[in-house]
Amino acid sequence: MLRKIRQVLAFLFFVCITLLFLDFTGTIHLWLGWMAKIQFLPAIFAVNTLVLAGLILLTLVFGRVYCSVICPLGVMQDVISRISSMRKKMKNRFSYSPALFYLRNVMLIVFVAAFFLGAGSVVALLSPYSSYGRIASNLFSPFWKWGNNLLAFFSERMDSYAFYETEVWIKSIPVLLISLAVFVFIFILAWRNGRTYCNTICPVGTVLGYLSGFSIFRVEIDKEKCKNCRMCSKQCKASCIDIKNHKIDYTRCVACMNCLDSCKFDALHYVCRYSSGKKKEQTAKPVETVEKVDTSKRSFFTAAALVTAGTALKAQEMKVDGGLAEIIDKKIPERNTSIVPPGALSKANFYKKCTACQLCVAVCPNQVLRPSGKLISLMQPEMSYERGYCRPECTKCSEVCPTGAISLISREDKSSVQIGHAVFIQENCVALTDGVECGNCARHCPSGAITMIPSKEGDKNSPKIPAVNVERCIGCGACENLCPARPFSAIYVEGHERHRMI
């Protein structure tokens, strides 16, 4: 019964969180956005003490339920492992293996060190929630959008507009390759050995594993009833049941409850560890309490990871020629300072808190956000305006960010936040290169920061070029996006290290 309950809850969480990354309209987040905010690492980065306390309490009471129910990457491994068992027709294919404590501790130390050293790419790479987010956004999302476009194609021919076509494009080749490599790596581990990734590499699994060693409810083995048939060990995808010595490694047990259903001799029970004494007196059959694993050293890493991390964190493509000529795709200009979304406050704050889950990238309706391919900010989102611009009325990225890297911002405030400023490149302007009147940048500037002036001082009949009022420009990118110059716009946005209100 417990196993069925766990499977149903895990299925619901997995499907709902996957839909958060597949939904390009942003509507699902109104109902299910809280599921992203209760993930462990996003809660740490957002300093969400209520969620953190809840997850820690959940683990101390019931064990690593988070890993088997709430974490999407953990559930994905279960799905892969289940398919592997069905394909190989081997339901009982696992066996006990000793814990790789040194590897787990090294990976945790690497994670904590990367955090303090500001290596956001390493932190993002080891975050289980973010890893799954990138897998869903880069590998699963294209198929979801193609399916949507197919429905839009047929519905349009039936005079229905219940669906609309959306563009499918590769936002970042390096991030796509990284996501594919991580998926293949985790797939192989799960296909062969179940929860190997969770119990050897994942820093969240390590921290929660050490906490689960003190959990109140856990699976215990009745030594008197056990026949050493090893069926429970063969069903344990965490490989943590040492049936020979009648011990369970609770730091690796993910509370999947598979072992309970596999035992035919009623030797395994999910019980309160403090009720063992009473049970002995009532049944006259002593139940051997599983020896505690020495967690003194590992508890130190747990405390260090939680306390220090919490303390540190406090301290559709536009064509402008009317279809009369072939359009050359725009190229991304070389920006001295990358642009981060309104609500990020500053580049430093954004890169410190962002776990590169790419939830904001998935819901951006204007195709402005895409994963960075730069080494210093690899996989973390940045803004670019080749396919659209950041509309002042849109605040979707701030609404879905679970870590606080993009603070929730109102539409009124967004129109006043300066994230960058426009820079004019005279030699690219079509008014001078082609001798035509344009003024696109001035017409579409939502803040009125651009005015058209004669290119030659004192000659009112000379071609007009834009003049930028840097104090009024908010860096939305409308000018850069709508500029007809190709391949580089005659006006582009340079980012600011710190945002300010104007």
Side-chain angles (χ1 to χ4, degrees):
M1 184 62 180
L2 290 176
R3 181 187 176 213
K4 294 296 182 184
I5 294 173
R6 196 269 307 171
Q7 288 178 333
V8 171
L9 291 176
F11 174 79
L12 291 175
F13 268 91
F14 182 70
V15 170
C16 292
I17 293 175
T18 302
L19 288 176
L20 288 178
F21 291 98
L22 301 182
D23 175 39
F24 51 85
T25 65
T27 54
I28 291 181
H29 293 270
L30 297 174
W31 304 96
L32 303 177
W34 60 272
M35 288 189 172
K37 295 180 179 180
I38 65 170
Q39 300 297 319
F40 193 81
L41 281 179
I44 289 182
F45 277 77
V47 198
N48 194 331
T49 54
L50 185 62
V51 171
L52 277 176
L55 292 177
I56 292 173
L57 182 62
L58 180 70
T59 305
L60 289 175
V61 175
F62 299 108
R64 286 175 60 182
V65 175
Y66 171 87
C67 297
S68 59
V69 175
I70 301 175
C71 178
L73 193 67
V75 179
M76 186 185 79
Q77 292 175 74
D78 288 345
V79 173
I80 295 171
S81 180
R82 182 69 177 270
I83 295 174
S84 174
S85 298
M86 293 173 61
R87 183 176 178 82
K88 295 179 180 180
K89 297 182 180 179
M90 294 173 59
K91 294 183 178 180
N92 307 311
R93 64 190 185 92
F94 300 110
S95 61
Y96 172 76
S97 61
L100 301 176
F101 287 121
Y102 289 105
L103 179 58
R104 296 170 70 183
N105 291 335
V106 166
M107 296 307 298
L108 180 58
I109 292 172
V110 168
F111 178 83
V112 175
F115 170 77
F116 282 114
L117 294 175
S121 300
V122 178
V123 173
L125 190 63
L126 294 177
S127 170
Y129 161 76
S130 299
S131 294
Y132 181 77
R134 291 189 294 272
I135 290 171
S137 297
N138 291 279
L139 304 183
F140 302 161
S141 181
F143 295 98
W144 178 268
K145 290 181 178 179
W146 282 327
N148 170 82
N149 293 347
L150 185 63
L151 291 174
F153 175 81
F154 287 111
S155 63
E156 183 179 349
R157 277 145 186 79
M158 293 186 291
D159 295 326
S160 172
Y161 295 92
F163 299 91
Y164 62 89
E165 188 174 348
T166 184
E167 188 176 7
V168 182
W169 59 290
I170 299 175
K171 297 180 175 66
S172 174
I173 293 178
V175 176
L176 173 64
L177 295 177
I178 291 173
S179 302
L180 180 61
V182 171
F183 176 73
V184 171
F185 176 67
I186 294 176
F187 184 93
I188 292 174
L189 291 180
W191 186 270
R192 297 183 61 183
N193 301 308
R195 286 288 189 126
T196 302
Y197 178 86
C198 286
N199 289 328
T200 55
I201 298 174
C202 178
V204 175
T206 300
V207 170
L208 294 182
Y210 296 155
L211 291 176
S212 68
F214 305 97
S215 62
I216 296 175
F217 289 92
R218 59 189 189 181
V219 177
E220 292 191 351
I221 303 174
D222 188 334
K223 187 177 179 180
E224 297 298 321
K225 293 183 178 180
C226 180
K227 306 300 181 183
N228 288 358
C229 67
R230 301 181 185 273
M231 288 301 297
C232 56
S233 181
K234 293 178 181 179
Q235 286 285 327
C236 180
K237 55 197 172 189
S239 302
C240 66
I241 301 179
D242 181 6
I243 202 64
K244 182 179 180 180
N245 297 307
H246 298 98
K247 294 180 180 179
I248 298 176
D249 183 357
Y250 294 110
T251 66
R252 288 188 290 162
C253 176
V254 294
C256 67
M257 310 301 176
N258 287 355
C259 56
L260 298 183
D261 289 354
S262 66
C263 184
K264 298 180 180 179
F265 303 102
D266 195 33
L268 284 147
H269 302 91
Y270 185 67
V271 296
C272 175
R273 62 190 295 188
Y274 300 111
S275 65
S276 299
K278 295 180 180 179
K279 188 174 180 180
K280 286 181 182 179
E281 295 177 2
Q282 294 174 356
T283 60
K285 292 183 179 181
V287 177
E288 182 175 314
T289 304
V290 179
E291 294 180 7
K292 296 181 181 178
V293 179
D294 183 9
T295 59
S296 56
K297 293 182 180 179
R298 287 168 278 154
S299 297
F300 169 78
F301 291 115
T302 303
L306 292 175
V307 175
T308 54
T311 304
L313 283 171
K314 287 183 178 179
Q316 316 193 313
E317 183 170 352
M318 302 195 68
K319 305 292 184 180
V320 296
D321 70 336
L324 300 177
E326 184 179 354
I327 298 296
I328 301 174
D329 289 336
K330 281 194 175 186
K331 293 184 179 180
I332 302 175
E334 290 290 337
R335 309 183 203 273
N336 294 323
T337 305
S338 57
I339 312 169
V340 294
L345 304 181
S346 68
K347 278 182 59 180
N349 178 74
F350 180 74
Y351 290 143
K352 182 175 69 173
K353 292 186 176 182
C354 177
T355 62
C357 71
Q358 298 180 18
L359 200 53
C360 57
V361 176
V363 302
C364 180
N366 305 309
Q367 312 281 22
V368 170
L369 286 169
R370 73 275 313 267
S372 172
K374 302 172 186 175
L375 184 60
I376 193 171
S377 58
L378 187 63
M379 300 183 292
Q380 295 178 315
E382 64 181 12
M383 301 176 72
S384 198
Y385 304 121
E386 291 70 53
R387 294 175 175 267
Y389 65 93
C390 190
R391 298 180 181 273
E393 70 275 7
C394 177
T395 59
K396 286 189 179 295
C397 59
S398 71
E399 294 169 0
V400 303
C401 181
T403 66
I406 308 176
S407 302
L408 185 62
I409 188 172
S410 66
R411 295 182 180 181
E412 294 78 13
D413 287 342
K414 184 182 177 182
S415 300
S416 302
V417 175
Q418 187 181 67
I419 62 175
H421 66 275
V423 178
F424 177 56
I425 308 297
Q426 185 168 316
E427 54 267 28
N428 291 348
C429 185
V430 296
L432 301 177
T433 59
D434 299 344
V436 297
E437 291 187 6
C438 180
N440 251 9
C441 50
R443 277 196 304 273
H444 295 93
C445 179
S447 60
I450 301 176
T451 55
M452 302 302 292
I453 61 173
S455 56
K456 295 181 180 179
E457 188 176 354
D459 185 0
K460 295 182 179 180
N461 295 322
S462 62
K464 291 185 177 181
I465 58 175
V468 181
N469 184 340
V470 176
E471 294 301 317
R472 295 189 63 178
C473 178
I474 60 175
C476 67
C479 55
E480 179 181 331
N481 174 249
L482 298 173
C483 178
R486 294 295 191 277
F488 291 102
S489 296
I491 190 167
Y492 77 98
V493 177
E494 188 65 58
H496 286 180
E497 292 285 346
R498 298 180 66 87
H499 298 173
R500 70 183 184 93
M501 301 293 290
I502 60 173

